[in-house]
Amino acid sequence: MTDKHKVAIVGGGSFGTAIANIVADNGHDVCLWMRNAERVAEVNEQHSNSAYLPDISLNPALRASTDLAETVKGCDVVFVAVPSKSCRDVARQLAPLLADGTMVVSTTKGIEVDSNELMSEVLREELGNVSIGVMSGPNLAKELAAREITGTVIASADEQLTQCIQDLLQCSYFRVYAGSDIYGVELAGALKNVYAIVAGLAAALGVGHNTISMLVTRSLAEMSRYAVQKGADPLTFLGLAGVGDLFVTCTSPLSRNYRVGYALGQGRDLNEVVAELGQVAEGVNTLRLLKQQSQQLDIYMPLVNGLYAIIYEGKTVQEVIGDMMWAEQNRDVEFAVQKS
């Protein structure tokens, strides 16, 4: 093993807990911050987090705490794994607690509603002199926690950070790839949530494999089109953080956003579905932002527009499909070159 690190995971949901468990398995000193005292006690005494990862045994060396200052004290690496709506508030609490140069990695796949900023941008604004990275990929937390073979991407402008996270997390079932396109990796993770809702809705309607295949590839085209307009590298979307994450979240019922879409396809109410889920489905908030941005930037995003029309404008699925099928037929693959 490489140098031993002192690590904090801020956010004790399913993914935060899974990452914390890997760090503990790899022999590093790790503490998991959670708001709920009962769940903290469960992690510390029973070595489980049944609310988010039922039937998963956690490493006994993994500690949990409700005290944020205690959790991050002396840490050289901090993972932020809270929902996007909580990120800025948590970052403000973290700011006076982190030493200069601390490596901070966001694992949140979402966009802040009020500012339209990604989590790395929020952290950069609030935390001051720290090193920022983002981690994203086809990482369903339950499979990762069950130690099934998984890959992810860590992206940062700081090569020392990417190397450190690779060394920290790499193990027999978790492969960590490095990248420098922090914006593209993070944007891919946020955008794919919307298309997972579309795919879940389609699955509930009993569409065929041809249709699902078309949905996934057209989703990738929309994501890439938007990303290029926002300054990301379109090639990022051909890797794990792009098509890899899109594929898994559009085909697996373990995906929260997919489950939201599936329930909508069964005719259920959105608010009821989200409340029943008990966890954040980031795609619901991201959909509103993408709809607004696509109009402002004049980006062709028919799947976003169609889903928005179904959820917020009362259109039927049949009406939306009809509009899409008779829309202007564009090129299958578009290669965009970024302006210098």
Side-chain angles (χ1 to χ4, degrees):
M1 191 185 75
T2 56
D3 294 339
K4 187 171 182 177
H5 295 276
K6 186 172 174 56
V7 182
I9 314 292
V10 178
S14 55
F15 191 70
T17 304
I19 290 297
N21 204 43
I22 292 173
V23 176
D25 280 351
N26 283 348
H28 301 282
D29 184 352
V30 57
C31 188
L32 178 65
W33 178 73
M34 311 169 78
R35 298 180 189 273
N36 188 299
E38 291 182 4
R39 289 178 187 158
V40 165
E42 182 187 10
V43 170
N44 291 334
E45 297 168 12
Q46 301 176 38
H47 312 302
S48 63
N49 185 355
S50 58
Y52 289 99
L53 293 174
D55 305 319
I56 297 294
S57 296
L58 302 178
N59 191 308
L62 170 58
R63 298 175 292 110
S65 174
T66 58
D67 187 328
L68 187 60
E70 175 192 349
T71 300
V72 303
K73 184 178 181 180
C75 288
D76 58 328
V77 180
V78 176
F79 289 87
V80 178
V82 298
S84 60
K85 66 178 182 180
S86 304
C87 185
R88 189 174 296 275
D89 177 61
V90 170
R92 286 174 176 168
Q93 296 178 56
L94 280 172
L97 305 175
L98 301 183
D100 288 352
T102 301
M103 289 177 278
V104 179
V105 178
S106 171
T107 70
T108 303
K109 299 177 179 179
I111 302 174
E112 188 178 49
V113 174
D114 294 334
S115 67
N116 196 32
E117 291 182 342
L118 295 167
M119 299 303 101
S120 64
E121 296 171 310
V122 172
L123 295 176
R124 195 170 288 112
E125 287 177 2
E126 300 294 341
L127 294 183
N129 190 26
V130 299
S131 184
I132 301 289
V134 300
M135 193 168 77
S136 189
N139 302 153
L140 297 172
K142 289 184 179 180
E143 291 189 2
L144 184 57
R147 298 175 174 83
E148 296 187 17
I149 293 175
T150 305
T152 196
V153 179
I154 175 68
S156 176
D158 181 353
E159 290 187 11
Q160 184 178 353
L161 182 149
T162 57
Q163 182 64 59
C164 174
I165 301 304
Q166 286 181 298
D167 293 342
L168 187 70
L169 296 178
Q170 191 94 7
C171 61
S172 62
Y173 60 89
F174 196 38
R175 187 161 178 80
V176 185
Y177 295 87
S180 58
D181 182 20
I182 183 170
Y183 193 70
V185 167
E186 194 171 19
L187 193 58
L191 297 183
K192 58 88 185 181
N193 289 323
V194 170
Y195 300 103
I197 298 176
V198 176
L201 193 155
L205 297 177
V207 302
H209 291 93
N210 287 344
T211 309
I212 294 297
S213 176
M214 184 172 72
L215 278 175
V216 171
T217 51
R218 297 325 301 164
S219 296
L220 183 63
E222 279 194 27
M223 290 169 61
S224 302
R225 194 181 299 127
Y226 180 86
V228 169
Q229 283 279 72
K230 299 291 284 186
D233 183 349
L235 292 179
T236 297
F237 287 74
L238 298 180
L240 273 175
V243 68
D245 199 8
L246 177 67
F247 174 82
V248 75
T249 201
C250 284
T251 57
S252 173
L254 291 178
S255 162
R256 293 190 291 269
N257 294 282
Y258 177 94
R259 296 205 301 273
V260 167
Y262 197 92
L264 291 175
Q266 295 175 316
R268 297 180 60 191
D269 176 73
L270 175 65
N271 293 325
E272 173 193 341
V273 171
V274 171
E276 184 180 288
L277 192 63
Q279 300 181 54
V280 175
E282 293 282 359
V284 175
N285 292 329
T286 304
L287 174 62
R288 288 181 179 271
L289 297 173
L290 274 186
K291 169 67 173 176
Q292 181 185 48
Q293 285 278 294
S294 65
Q295 290 177 325
Q296 290 178 352
L297 301 174
D298 193 26
I299 304 172
Y300 182 58
M301 304 186 78
L303 291 174
V304 165
N305 293 335
L307 182 60
Y308 188 92
I310 292 169
I311 293 180
Y312 296 113
E313 295 175 352
K315 281 197 174 184
T316 67
V317 174
Q318 289 71 25
E319 287 177 311
V320 170
I321 291 175
D323 291 343
M324 287 184 181
M325 291 303 292
W326 289 103
E328 179 183 354
Q329 299 188 95
N330 295 321
R331 297 176 64 86
D332 175 30
V333 178
E334 300 174 46
F335 292 91
V337 179
Q338 291 177 279
K339 296 178 181 179
S340 58

